[in-house]
PDB file of all heavy atoms in Angstrom:
ATOM      1  N   LEU A 111       1.354  32.052 -55.727  1.00 97.00           N
ATOM      2  CA  LEU A 111       2.684  31.600 -55.309  1.00 97.00           C
ATOM      3  C   LEU A 111       3.712  32.778 -55.446  1.00 97.00           C
ATOM      4  O   LEU A 111       3.560  33.668 -56.316  1.00 97.00           O
ATOM      5  CB  LEU A 111       3.145  30.447 -56.212  1.00 97.00           C
ATOM      6  CG  LEU A 111       2.293  29.207 -56.233  1.00 97.00           C
ATOM      7  CD1 LEU A 111       2.710  28.230 -57.262  1.00 97.00           C
ATOM      8  CD2 LEU A 111       2.274  28.508 -54.839  1.00 97.00           C
ATOM      9  N   SER A 112       4.666  32.745 -54.656  1.00 97.00           N
ATOM     10  CA  SER A 112       5.726  33.715 -54.649  1.00 97.00           C
ATOM     11  C   SER A 112       6.773  33.430 -55.736  1.00 97.00           C
ATOM     12  O   SER A 112       7.117  32.240 -55.911  1.00 97.00           O
ATOM     13  CB  SER A 112       6.501  33.774 -53.339  1.00 97.00           C
ATOM     14  OG  SER A 112       5.564  34.061 -52.313  1.00 97.00           O
ATOM     15  N   ALA A 113       7.217  34.410 -56.430  1.00 95.00           N
ATOM     16  CA  ALA A 113       8.278  34.261 -57.461  1.00 95.00           C
ATOM     17  C   ALA A 113       9.634  34.578 -56.750  1.00 95.00           C
ATOM     18  O   ALA A 113       9.686  35.265 -55.724  1.00 95.00           O
ATOM     19  CB  ALA A 113       8.014  35.158 -58.608  1.00 95.00           C
ATOM     20  N   LEU A 114      10.700  34.061 -57.294  1.00 95.00           N
ATOM     21  CA  LEU A 114      12.033  34.430 -56.904  1.00 95.00           C
ATOM     22  C   LEU A 114      12.434  35.665 -57.719  1.00 95.00           C
ATOM     23  O   LEU A 114      12.188  35.716 -58.948  1.00 95.00           O
ATOM     24  CB  LEU A 114      13.011  33.251 -57.114  1.00 95.00           C
ATOM     25  CG  LEU A 114      12.612  31.939 -56.413  1.00 95.00           C
ATOM     26  CD1 LEU A 114      13.679  30.898 -56.686  1.00 95.00           C
ATOM     27  CD2 LEU A 114      12.401  32.105 -54.907  1.00 95.00           C
ATOM     28  N   THR A 115      13.135  36.592 -57.059  1.00 93.00           N
ATOM     29  CA  THR A 115      13.475  37.847 -57.698  1.00 93.00           C
ATOM     30  C   THR A 115      14.823  37.772 -58.429  1.00 93.00           C
ATOM     31  O   THR A 115      15.837  37.443 -57.784  1.00 93.00           O
ATOM     32  CB  THR A 115      13.466  39.045 -56.706  1.00 93.00           C
ATOM     33  OG1 THR A 115      12.227  39.029 -56.042  1.00 93.00           O
ATOM     34  CG2 THR A 115      13.765  40.342 -57.337  1.00 93.00           C
ATOM     35  N   GLY A 116      14.827  38.151 -59.733  1.00 90.00           N
ATOM     36  CA  GLY A 116      16.057  38.321 -60.496  1.00 90.00           C
ATOM     37  C   GLY A 116      17.081  37.166 -60.402  1.00 90.00           C
ATOM     38  O   GLY A 116      18.259  37.483 -60.248  1.00 90.00           O
ATOM     39  N   THR A 117      16.595  35.975 -60.605  1.00 90.00           N
ATOM     40  CA  THR A 117      17.573  34.841 -60.455  1.00 90.00           C
ATOM     41  C   THR A 117      18.728  34.902 -61.416  1.00 90.00           C
ATOM     42  O   THR A 117      19.789  34.426 -61.141  1.00 90.00           O
ATOM     43  CB  THR A 117      16.825  33.489 -60.630  1.00 90.00           C
ATOM     44  OG1 THR A 117      16.254  33.408 -61.917  1.00 90.00           O
ATOM     45  CG2 THR A 117      15.714  33.298 -59.598  1.00 90.00           C
ATOM     46  N   GLU A 118      18.519  35.507 -62.589  1.00 91.00           N
ATOM     47  CA  GLU A 118      19.592  35.548 -63.543  1.00 91.00           C
ATOM     48  C   GLU A 118      20.682  36.573 -63.148  1.00 91.00           C
ATOM     49  O   GLU A 118      21.769  36.539 -63.692  1.00 91.00           O
ATOM     50  CB  GLU A 118      19.056  35.893 -64.952  1.00 91.00           C
ATOM     51  CG  GLU A 118      18.526  37.283 -65.141  1.00 91.00           C
ATOM     52  CD  GLU A 118      17.105  37.526 -64.762  1.00 91.00           C
ATOM     53  OE1 GLU A 118      16.602  36.897 -63.779  1.00 91.00           O
ATOM     54  OE2 GLU A 118      16.452  38.290 -65.419  1.00 91.00           O
ATOM     55  N   TYR A 119      20.398  37.424 -62.206  1.00 92.00           N
ATOM     56  CA  TYR A 119      21.343  38.484 -61.834  1.00 92.00           C
ATOM     57  C   TYR A 119      22.106  38.187 -60.486  1.00 92.00           C
ATOM     58  O   TYR A 119      23.075  38.813 -60.194  1.00 92.00           O
ATOM     59  CB  TYR A 119      20.675  39.866 -61.672  1.00 92.00           C
ATOM     60  CG  TYR A 119      20.002  40.331 -62.949  1.00 92.00           C
ATOM     61  CD1 TYR A 119      18.610  40.420 -63.038  1.00 92.00           C
ATOM     62  CD2 TYR A 119      20.737  40.623 -64.039  1.00 92.00           C
ATOM     63  CE1 TYR A 119      17.988  40.796 -64.215  1.00 92.00           C
ATOM     64  CE2 TYR A 119      20.119  41.001 -65.199  1.00 92.00           C
ATOM     65  CZ  TYR A 119      18.830  41.087 -65.284  1.00 92.00           C
ATOM     66  OH  TYR A 119      18.178  41.490 -66.447  1.00 92.00           O
ATOM     67  N   VAL A 120      21.661  37.098 -59.853  1.00 92.00           N
ATOM     68  CA  VAL A 120      22.218  36.797 -58.572  1.00 92.00           C
ATOM     69  C   VAL A 120      23.544  36.023 -58.795  1.00 92.00           C
ATOM     70  O   VAL A 120      23.568  35.126 -59.717  1.00 92.00           O
ATOM     71  CB  VAL A 120      21.211  35.939 -57.706  1.00 92.00           C
ATOM     72  CG1 VAL A 120      21.854  35.475 -56.369  1.00 92.00           C
ATOM     73  CG2 VAL A 120      19.970  36.686 -57.448  1.00 92.00           C
ATOM     74  N   ASP A 121      24.513  36.281 -57.999  1.00 94.00           N
ATOM     75  CA  ASP A 121      25.774  35.495 -58.077  1.00 94.00           C
ATOM     76  C   ASP A 121      25.495  34.037 -58.058  1.00 94.00           C
ATOM     77  O   ASP A 121      24.724  33.556 -57.163  1.00 94.00           O
ATOM     78  CB  ASP A 121      26.673  35.929 -56.904  1.00 94.00           C
ATOM     79  CG  ASP A 121      27.965  35.175 -56.911  1.00 94.00           C
ATOM     80  OD1 ASP A 121      28.915  35.655 -57.610  1.00 94.00           O
ATOM     81  OD2 ASP A 121      28.103  34.171 -56.191  1.00 94.00           O
ATOM     82  N   PRO A 122      26.064  33.268 -58.917  1.00 91.00           N
ATOM     83  CA  PRO A 122      25.803  31.765 -59.003  1.00 91.00           C
ATOM     84  C   PRO A 122      25.875  31.107 -57.603  1.00 91.00           C
ATOM     85  O   PRO A 122      25.057  30.147 -57.366  1.00 91.00           O
ATOM     86  CB  PRO A 122      26.752  31.230 -59.973  1.00 91.00           C
ATOM     87  CG  PRO A 122      27.094  32.415 -60.830  1.00 91.00           C
ATOM     88  CD  PRO A 122      27.050  33.630 -59.954  1.00 91.00           C
ATOM     89  N   GLU A 123      26.889  31.423 -56.785  1.00 91.00           N
ATOM     90  CA  GLU A 123      27.006  30.724 -55.458  1.00 91.00           C
ATOM     91  C   GLU A 123      25.850  31.125 -54.537  1.00 91.00           C
ATOM     92  O   GLU A 123      25.327  30.272 -53.786  1.00 91.00           O
ATOM     93  CB  GLU A 123      28.320  31.088 -54.845  1.00 91.00           C
ATOM     94  CG  GLU A 123      29.472  30.442 -55.570  1.00 91.00           C
ATOM     95  CD  GLU A 123      30.800  30.763 -54.905  1.00 91.00           C
ATOM     96  OE1 GLU A 123      30.848  31.046 -53.693  1.00 91.00           O
ATOM     97  OE2 GLU A 123      31.862  30.652 -55.580  1.00 91.00           O
TER      98      GLU A 123
END
Side-chain angles (χ1 to χ4, degrees):
L111 300 172
S112 300
L114 303 181
T115 304
T117 61
E118 71 273 35
Y119 301 114
V120 179
D121 180 82
E123 289 182 25

